[in-house]
Amino acid sequence: MSVAKRIVIEPVTRVEGHGKVVILLDENKKVISARLHIVEFRGFERFIQGRPFWEVPVLVQRLCGICPVSHHLAAAKAMDRIVGGENLTPTAEKIRRLMHYGQMYQSHALHFFHLASPDLLFGFDADVAIRNVIGVAGKYPALAVQAVLMRKYGQEIIKATAGKKIHGTGAIPGGVNKNLSIAERDVFLRDADQQMTWAQSAVKIAKDYTVANLAKLAPFGSFDSNHLSLVRADGAMDLYHGNLRAIDAEGKVIFDQVDYQSYVDFIAEEVRDWSYMKFPFIRSIGPEKGWYRVGPLARLNTAKFIDTPLAEAARKEFIAVTSGKPNNLTMAYHWARMIELVHAMEKIHALLNDKDLQGTDLVVKGERREVGIGLLEAPRGTLFHHYKVDKNDQVVSANLIVSTTNNNEPMNRAVAKVAQDHLQGVEITEGLLNHVEVAIRAYDPCLSCATHALGQMPMELTLVDYQGQILDRKSRG
Amino acid sequence: MANKPKLATVSLAGCFGCHMSVLDIDDRILELIELVEFDRSPINDIKEIKGRCAVGIVEGGCCNEENVHVLKHFREHCDVLISTGDCATMGGIPALRNTIPLQECLEEAYLKGPTVYNPRGKLPNDPEIPLLLDKVYPCHEVVKMDYHLPGCPPSADTLWQALVALLTGKPIALPYELIKYD
Ligand code: SF4
């Protein structure tokens, strides 16, 4: 099979970070291959070595500015174990949870309204000129204002708990460095009912859209897969803490209530030479068939129930569509995400009324350990942080499996499926190419933090500054 | 409205936090839309700058060949180019790798990690993924930058005041509290 045409979508837009899709077609316009390449590199696992461990929660969030709180808290949870402080005081745990739910709220609102909604509101192949959030603001101004204020609410909660909207410092090993004052709390309480109404209207938009277009959306970028997330001991959805649970496409349990301190025995990541992002899989099944999905869709599938009433009612409607079986539709991610938005807001509301937030017992310490593993459910899925720290308090090794990395194989499957269903044997237009991105966007990928590694290729490169001076010459291979 | 100045934004070796800080201007975003027309930006689907831009916002430094191409393209098409945030201004956290040989970082990520499965011991190496520079370079070492806004990220107020001044032809006068390195 010879390649007759190479189509490149670069950069993939309205996602966070840097990705590129390459589709190869033969002379009969048949798809030979379709891949999402991750083109970004950081080198975090190596350059973190030697840094003091208490610096890590602040440093590591610079991997991702859309969900810095997720990295901040996952690293803090790992460092809790290093200082023997994993049994947080009630105030510390609740402040962290409030920060996390605020993050979930702003990130889900951002993704749905600012990034994905143009495809849903205007159509996958709408004019590029309006197919963006500014187009949405032009046509649906009330919705745009609501989107901005929902994101702002979440960001303000982060600021009140972490000190800053982006890259805060609130969580420290063994606890937090501030509580929430009554004055800060009252500002959020005042707006809580309005936010709850908006969150419920968002879930309605996502549900109505999905149900009304089910025939078209069901096959779109879809395939069967395993699903993985943390769940609480009683099987409830828990976004901040829990044990690992994995199920297959039919809902059969692969493993359940696994203590994540032993995640290495259950999860591995395959290296493929055409992407800087690794491909995780469940060890007992192997790389071929052991890959899985994470994030809102996976969480709706793995959780036995949601412990807040409005989100639970929304979940029941969601699972009714697939008669209680796991939902494997890529485009159902949006609906699942909005159910979590409601859940996050319900949790925020309950926490705001909890007196523990004004407590003053903020930090605990216990017996020092050398290994710390911290997991949580970030907006985009299960996030793994794993560190070793020596006696001098310096980090000696780090292993991260970032949420989006878990979805690497699924995103590639979605790209291949859409390419086969929509790009074969036809005249390829910009609107058709956007179909590929629509499928990627369903996963709300965060491609900048997914790739903290470096690569190398056999070629030569010279970096010249604006005055023509050679800064760097590299030759490899 | 015709003849609005154009604004282009890009994230190079950054974390998107600076872009998020632009969104943190909150409802002022609606005023911003009145002031400018967006050209290439991650929030729309314009993949390459289409017209002459008054202002270009660059987040992140340069860590690979692709970053360098894009930055040069921005320089050619933007009247004013702003290094936004510590990464663009001085490399930021990604530049922590500058003291470490590339090979060591590769081996750490693709051969050594406790969850790595790599039976053939291969490292990523494909014409579709860009060549890395040995170091992360701040933007002004690659092209001329007109302004530098420090902060990780610069606050929404910093970005707002700088942008409005530039777009309305006024001098940028940022009070001390808005200039912050962290
Ligand atoms: S300066 Fe900070 S917020 Fe901006 S891209 Fe760099 S790490 Fe992210």
Side-chain angles (χ1 to χ4, degrees), chain A residues 62 166-167, chain B residues 13-18 59-60 84-88 93-94 151-154:
Chain A
R62 265 77 184 184
I166 299 163
H167 302 328
Chain B
C15 77
F16 263 70
C18 288
E59 165 194 305
T84 306
D86 295 350
C87 293
I93 296 285
C152 180

Side-chain angles (χ1 to χ4, degrees), chain A residues 124-333:
Chain A
F124 299 177
D125 47 11
D127 182 2
V128 192
I130 59 153
R131 206 180 59 214
N132 55 58
V133 66
I134 294 163
V136 174
K139 185 132 185 253
Y140 307 95
L143 194 66
V145 169
Q146 172 186 326
V148 165
L149 295 180
M150 287 174 83
R151 177 166 180 279
K152 180 180 180 185
Y153 190 79
Q155 289 289 82
E156 293 288 351
I157 286 180
I158 294 170
K159 187 176 171 190
T161 47
K164 247 173 110 200
K165 286 184 176 177
I166 299 163
H167 302 328
T169 56
I172 54 177
V176 295
N177 60 16
K178 81 181 278 284
N179 65 6
L180 191 78
S181 71
I182 301 270
E184 287 170 319
R185 180 200 69 184
D186 287 348
V187 176
F188 296 121
L189 272 178
R190 205 186 55 215
D191 289 342
D193 287 342
Q194 176 66 76
Q195 293 295 336
M196 200 61 244
T197 311
W198 283 340
Q200 282 185 276
S201 75
V203 88
K204 184 166 181 333
I205 295 172
K207 180 187 114 186
D208 290 351
Y209 173 80
T210 313
V211 172
N213 298 289
L214 200 57
K216 177 185 161 200
L217 298 181
F220 189 82
S222 287
F223 44 83
D224 284 356
S225 78
N226 305 312
H227 301 272
L228 175 105
S229 82
L230 295 175
V231 292
R232 210 164 67 181
D234 59 0
M237 172 183 281
D238 192 333
L239 301 171
Y240 177 75
H241 193 65
N243 296 315
L244 285 165
R245 171 174 162 89
I247 58 168
D248 71 10
E250 293 295 311
K252 226 173 80 225
V253 172
I254 301 168
F255 53 73
D256 200 3
Q257 295 301 333
V258 166
D259 178 355
Y260 63 65
Q261 296 302 323
S262 62
Y263 84 99
V264 171
D265 299 334
F266 293 85
I267 305 290
E269 302 169 277
E270 186 183 5
V271 177
R272 296 187 199 161
D273 60 3
W274 49 270
S275 182
Y276 288 115
M277 190 153 82
K278 289 177 267 193
F279 293 79
F281 61 92
I282 294 166
R283 280 191 199 268
S284 62
I285 310 180
E288 264 320 86
K289 297 220 167 82
W291 52 274
Y292 52 86
R293 286 194 270 211
V294 299
L297 182 73
R299 290 190 288 245
L300 263 285
N301 286 331
T302 52
K304 290 189 186 140
F305 66 100
I306 301 179
D307 68 345
T308 55
L310 297 174
E312 173 62 7
R315 187 192 74 94
K316 290 214 170 98
E317 292 181 335
F318 181 86
I319 61 167
V321 170
T322 48
S323 315
K325 288 266 178 201
N327 186 320
N328 286 291
L329 312 190
T330 287
M331 291 303 282
Y333 261 97

Side-chain angles (χ1 to χ4, degrees), chain A residues 6 13-14 16 18 20 41-42 46 62 65 131 164 269 273 276 278 437 454-455 457 471-472 476, chain B residues 11 14-15 42 45 47 64 104-106 109-110 115 117 125-126 128-129 131-132 134 141 152 182:
Chain A
R6 173 175 169 272
T13 42
R14 289 189 278 131
E16 198 249 12
H18 305 230
K20 162 184 179 185
F41 342 86
R42 289 292 176 262
R46 179 61 188 82
R62 265 77 184 184
R131 206 180 59 214
K164 247 173 110 200
E269 302 169 277
D273 60 3
Y276 288 115
K278 289 177 267 193
E437 293 182 85
L454 297 165
M457 274 178 293
L471 292 177
D472 178 29
R476 302 191 190 112
Chain B
S11 172
C15 77
D45 293 340
K47 314 270 180 190
N64 65 29
E104 279 185 31
C105 296
L106 278 167
Y110 297 113
T115 45
Y117 173 78
N125 182 1
D126 189 281
E128 298 290 1
I129 49 180
L131 176 67
L132 287 165
D134 68 331
E141 288 190 17
C152 180
D182 60 353

